[in-house]
Amino acid sequence: MESEAAGPELSRRQFHLGLLLVALVGAVLMASHAGDEIWYDEAYALDFFATGDWRTAFRDQHAPNHVLFHAALSLWQTALGRGECRVAELRALPGLLSLAALPVLALTVARLAGATAGLLAAFLLATSHAALGFALQLRGYAPSWLPITIAWYGLAVWTESGSRRGAIAYALGGSVAVGILPTNLIPCAVIGAWAAGLRLPDLLAKEGRRRQALAVAALLCAPLLGLGCYLGDAAGFSRLALHYHTGLRLGEILGDAVGSALRDFLWLLPLASLGLGLLGSAARRDVSRAPQSPRGRLAWVAACA
């Protein structure tokens, strides 16, 4: 991270110490779920997708198979000694992946809006009731956070400088995220289209506009490579995609979402207000730059998200 990425309000040392504290808080809170009993979807995944050869996850496409994570879980069990691992040891894999997402998220938001906002974003992810509910589950939801945040960081770098490394980070992160869960195409498409919209005017102003536009389109499509993880049972994946349905009703989903939000509401609202206030203050100090520059607009989108 460049020195300015940490922002003027915190030194590099302070940022790193804050990030370490956030990671420790996250680890302590996640540890409280390490002994949670295996529930139905986790047991099903262990029995059908993460037992035996790791390649099994690629050969059988029916819900609820999160291919790349279940393949990794199978390798994790082999490394620990298959049949000898305890629940807490199994849950350590998604827990480590969840913790790894915290510094990547902090660095991403710090690059866009300063170190204080970066630490705040990581703190929110580490302590949110909804996030903690998924962090140690033997499912692909929490492990998706790491590749998605890597993709977001890559796009932040690419948007600012057109860096090829940033584009590669987005392509790899997005592909892995989609390989874990096909619906991760949605967040990848959102951040991809948003970053391309910020970068495209500059690219089209240069020579070879058609070539530039094709390059951006290719970048946006890169996460589709993750669908290759489902080709081992293409027929099964097609049936799943065409005929999948859930037994949940809209009212149940909305009730769950509202309930989870209310559990975090008392402390989430003040912190969210603080984050928006910091961004607003920065914009007032430098009105000419913050709203119009790619970095300024990215910061506002991040705050809204």
Side-chain angles (χ1 to χ4, degrees), residues 120-251:
L120 178 62
F123 181 74
L124 292 176
L125 180 60
T127 59
S128 166
H129 164 80
L132 288 171
F134 284 99
L136 268 65
Q137 285 193 16
L138 303 178
R139 310 289 290 119
Y141 305 114
S144 296
W145 301 339
L146 178 58
I148 289 175
T149 50
I150 289 174
W152 189 16
Y153 182 83
L155 280 181
V157 173
W158 177 78
T159 302
E160 291 177 359
S161 62
S163 166
R164 182 175 297 180
R165 290 184 179 180
I168 291 173
Y170 169 71
L172 291 177
S175 298
V176 171
V178 173
I180 294 175
L181 197 61
T183 49
N184 282 334
L185 276 171
I186 297 172
C188 289
V190 169
I191 60 175
W194 144 61
L198 296 177
R199 182 74 181 162
L200 200 56
D202 293 335
L203 295 177
L204 293 180
K206 301 178 181 178
E207 295 182 2
R209 288 181 294 179
R210 184 176 180 180
R211 181 173 59 84
Q212 298 286 359
L214 289 175
V216 171
L219 175 62
L220 291 181
C221 293
L224 291 172
L225 294 173
L227 294 177
C229 295
Y230 306 93
L231 296 180
D233 182 15
F237 181 71
S238 299
R239 287 193 300 271
L240 175 62
L242 292 172
H243 303 295
Y244 180 76
H245 63 88
T246 175
L248 292 175
R249 297 181 178 179
L250 180 60

Side-chain angles (χ1 to χ4, degrees), residues 99-122:
L99 283 174
L102 297 178
V104 181
L105 178 63
L107 289 170
T108 302
V109 178
R111 192 177 190 97
L112 304 176
T116 301
L119 291 178
L120 178 62

Side-chain angles (χ1 to χ4, degrees), residues 83-102:
E84 301 175 3
C85 6
R86 295 174 296 180
V87 173
E89 293 173 332
L90 290 174
R91 296 197 184 284
L93 175 61
L96 290 172
L97 294 173
S98 299
L99 283 174
L102 297 178

